[in-house]
Amino acid sequence: MYSASFTKDDYFERYSFAGTLNQLLKVLQATPSPVLLTQEKVCFQNIPFGTSLKEVVKVMGKPQHEVSAQAEVPGHKAFIFKRKVGPIGVTSCLHFLHGKLFLAQCVVRHPSPEEVAYMASVLQEKFPPVLPQEVKTSFAICDGLGNQVVLDQTSYLRINYIWADEGVRYALHALARRQKVS
């Protein structure tokens, strides 16, 4: 008799959080148009990029799940949290490289147009653009350091908070080059 085993990792992979090296690089490089500039510092839940894993757990509490991401990207850990943004249930995945926060991804499954508009307005209130404009589809908000928050509606509603640290990008690209050589 056939028996399928379905793990928590399998479940959370359905949310399409970046778990592989290629997925991480794709998320870090994607910048939809338009790019809105803000004077506010972009961060996730008032947690600055580069914050240690231990400090994030102190602020956010114990994660619902830890995604096993070390196999493909050494030093990479990802924690899953469930929370609410206003009335909307959001699943968040916080990514750490060598113990430092470098990416936070939030997913709203099957959002209504009203939920998308609500999330877009929340982002624009938190990180007000220097030159405001009405945006209802994918967009990025970028701070003076190059950190970004990206709203993407390709299938689910995804909001990616991306650290502009070149050291993270360099380490991931170097790993990708080593893997191609092997």
Side-chain angles (χ1 to χ4, degrees):
M1 177 174 222
Y2 175 75
S3 172
S5 83
F6 192 71
T7 67
K8 279 189 176 183
D9 283 348
D10 295 330
Y11 172 76
F12 287 114
E13 282 177 20
R14 288 189 167 199
Y15 283 102
S16 298
F17 291 120
T20 67
L21 178 58
N22 286 336
Q23 290 169 336
L24 286 170
L25 289 170
K26 186 176 179 181
V27 168
L28 294 177
Q29 294 169 343
T31 303
S33 185
V35 175
L36 309 173
L37 301 178
T38 185
Q39 292 180 346
E40 297 296 319
K41 187 175 180 181
V42 170
C43 61
F44 175 76
Q45 295 280 296
N46 296 320
I47 301 170
F49 290 111
T51 299
S52 75
L53 192 141
K54 286 182 181 182
E55 288 299 315
V56 169
V57 171
K58 282 183 188 176
V59 173
M60 298 283 296
K62 183 180 176 188
Q64 275 78 21
H65 182 66
E66 181 178 339
V67 178
S68 55
Q70 289 261 26
E72 184 158 343
V73 182
H76 178 221
K77 285 190 177 192
F79 288 163
I80 303 286
F81 296 91
K82 292 189 180 226
R83 59 193 187 86
K84 291 265 193 187
V85 175
I88 301 171
V90 176
T91 302
S92 300
C93 184
L94 278 64
H95 297 264
F96 301 86
L97 188 61
H98 305 298
K100 293 184 178 183
L101 178 66
F102 75 96
L103 172 66
Q105 297 182 281
C106 302
V107 173
V108 178
R109 291 179 20 167
H110 312 294
S112 68
E114 295 78 19
E115 289 174 324
V116 172
Y118 177 80
M119 294 301 280
S121 70
V122 166
L123 288 175
Q124 289 188 45
E125 284 176 27
K126 185 165 174 93
F127 309 108
V130 175
L131 299 172
Q133 57 182 306
E134 187 174 336
V135 179
K136 293 185 180 180
T137 59
S138 300
F139 64 88
I141 298 175
C142 187
D143 69 14
L145 299 172
N147 301 320
Q148 296 180 41
V149 58
V150 177
L151 184 134
D152 177 24
Q153 297 181 65
T154 50
S155 56
Y156 296 138
L157 172 61
R158 289 181 181 82
I159 301 167
N160 296 315
Y161 295 78
I162 304 167
W163 192 17
D165 183 70
E166 287 301 318
V168 169
R169 284 178 169 75
Y170 179 81
L172 294 175
H173 282 290
L175 180 59
R177 285 190 300 275
R178 283 194 304 273
Q179 287 181 356
K180 284 182 183 177
V181 171
S182 300

